[in-house]
């Protein structure tokens, strides 16, 4: 099974995607994390990627597709994948469909998490991530506080703010989202694969609730 997570930056795609991956025993791949791992290795590809990520712009389609497809060929992907942050454009979605078809696979559902821009900005400025690249647990200073301030509950490393989580870069990332997301949502809607969850940070609905809702939907709608 292949699940695609859609939504604005900071909408909770990663958190919900990880919960789904545990419940459904599928690997969770975040294209943002994948690209940040190239940046931390500081090779030529990493340097190229960093220029786009730092500005809040999308990595060019060709490069994004090439790196994600390379990752999808790894053996841990054979039981299915939850793709978070990829595709971001129709060109990427088409390339992914072609790639999956060649491997006798297909997308089963595209889950869209829909939050207002105000909620997104509020969540992103309060987001902290574990600095340990093998952990990268995500926290929120209001909704998912670490037990000890500034320290990761899972591995004990210090927490940090992503450099592209500044208000200026978030506004740019939202702008980029609006340029591409509408067409992507239409792309999956036309194939009857879209499942939208409307969210509001004050509704009390947790990421666990959202993951359970998606699981239930999959149980009743997938054979
Ligand atoms: P994310 O962690 O999903 O918020 O992504 C962080 C950054 O990585 C984005 O702002 C883009 O610069 C880059 N990125 C992530 N996924 C993609 C993608 N599918 N296509 C192009 N750029 C991407």
């Amino acid at each position: 099974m292949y699940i695609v997570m859609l939504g604005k930056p900071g909408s909770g795609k990663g958190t919900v995607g990880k919960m789904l991956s545990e419940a459904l025993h599928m690997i969770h791949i975040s294209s943002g994390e994948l690209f940040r791992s190239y940046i931390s290795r500081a090779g030529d590809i990493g340097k190229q990627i960093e220029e786009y990520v730092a500005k809040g712009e999308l990595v060019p389609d060709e490069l994004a597709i090439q790196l994600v497809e390379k990752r999808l060929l790894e053996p841990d992907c054979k039981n299915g994948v939850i793709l978070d942050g990829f595709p971001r454009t129709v060109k990427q979605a088409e390339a992914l469909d072609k790639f999956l078809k060649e491997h006798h696979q297909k997308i089963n559902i595209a889950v869209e998490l829909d939050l207002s821009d105000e909620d997104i900005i509020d969540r992103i400025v309060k987001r902290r991530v574990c600095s340990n690249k093998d952990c990268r647990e995500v926290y929120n200073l209001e909704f998912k506080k670490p037990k000890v301030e500034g320290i990761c509950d899972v591995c004990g490393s210090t927490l940090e703010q992503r450099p592209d989580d500044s208000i200026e870069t978030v506004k740019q990332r939202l702008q980029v989202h609006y340029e591409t997301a509408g067409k992507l949502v239409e792309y999956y809607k036309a194939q009857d694969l879209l499942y939208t969850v409307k969210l509001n940070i004050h509704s009390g609905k947790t990421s666990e609730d959202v993951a359970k809702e998606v699981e239930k939907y999959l149980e009743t709608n997938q054979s």
Side-chain angles (χ1 to χ4, degrees):
M1 178 160 33
Y2 276 75
I3 299 178
V4 164
M5 303 293 302
L6 306 177
K8 293 171 187 167
S11 57
K13 301 187 294 288
T15 308
V16 173
K18 275 187 198 157
M19 287 173 179
L20 283 172
S21 92
E22 277 162 28
L24 302 170
H25 310 290
M26 292 157 69
I27 191 136
H28 166 252
I29 296 177
S30 145
S31 51
E33 277 300 321
L34 179 69
F35 298 158
R36 282 187 285 281
S37 76
Y38 277 94
I39 294 173
S40 67
R41 281 178 251 160
D44 284 349
I45 295 182
K47 282 187 199 138
Q48 211 182 318
I49 291 175
E50 191 170 18
E51 280 181 33
Y52 297 96
V53 174
K55 285 189 270 181
E57 289 171 10
L58 290 184
V59 173
D61 281 335
E62 248 169 62
L63 182 59
I65 291 165
Q66 184 200 332
L67 298 179
V68 171
E69 289 187 354
K70 184 167 178 256
R71 178 67 186 87
L72 291 177
L73 287 171
E74 288 177 27
D76 57 354
C77 294
K78 70 176 188 316
N79 293 332
V81 177
I82 300 186
L83 264 176
D84 152 18
F86 186 95
R88 286 272 229 285
T89 64
V90 170
K91 197 168 172 201
Q92 293 180 8
E94 287 170 346
L96 179 63
D97 280 348
K98 184 167 175 278
F99 174 88
L100 292 179
K101 202 170 175 194
E102 281 163 12
H103 292 84
H104 314 289
Q105 300 279 0
K106 63 177 175 60
I107 306 271
N108 297 72
I109 183 173
V111 178
E112 181 197 20
L113 304 183
D114 188 9
L115 246 94
S116 71
D117 287 2
E118 294 71 40
D119 282 359
I120 289 291
I121 290 171
D122 191 69
R123 278 179 64 137
I124 287 194
V125 294
K126 291 177 185 156
R127 175 157 70 183
R128 296 292 180 274
V129 291
C130 176
S131 57
N132 173 357
K133 66 175 173 37
D134 296 322
C135 176
R136 303 306 277 173
E137 186 71 10
V138 180
Y139 296 85
N140 181 287
L141 297 183
E142 189 175 344
F143 301 107
K144 194 192 164 199
K145 288 184 193 169
K147 291 193 186 98
V148 179
E149 196 185 323
I151 301 293
C152 177
D153 295 349
V154 179
C155 75
S157 303
T158 50
L159 301 184
E160 62 185 18
Q161 192 169 22
R162 271 172 49 178
D164 61 341
D165 274 355
S166 66
I167 292 211
E168 297 70 36
T169 316
V170 170
K171 286 185 177 158
Q172 170 61 21
R173 286 160 68 199
L174 280 170
Q175 174 71 31
V176 167
H177 171 85
Y178 281 115
E179 284 162 16
T180 56
K183 287 190 191 123
L184 197 55
V185 162
E186 287 308 317
Y187 181 84
Y188 287 115
K189 205 187 235 173
Q191 297 181 54
D192 205 18
L193 289 174
L194 188 70
Y195 181 73
T196 300
V197 185
K198 285 214 174 283
L199 294 166
N200 163 345
I201 50 169
H202 301 294
S203 70
K205 201 180 218 181
T206 63
S207 303
E208 282 93 351
D209 297 334
V210 178
K212 288 217 172 81
E213 183 179 324
V214 175
E215 268 181 73
K216 210 169 184 179
Y217 176 83
L218 280 170
E219 268 166 31
T220 44
N221 290 277
Q222 303 283 321
S223 49

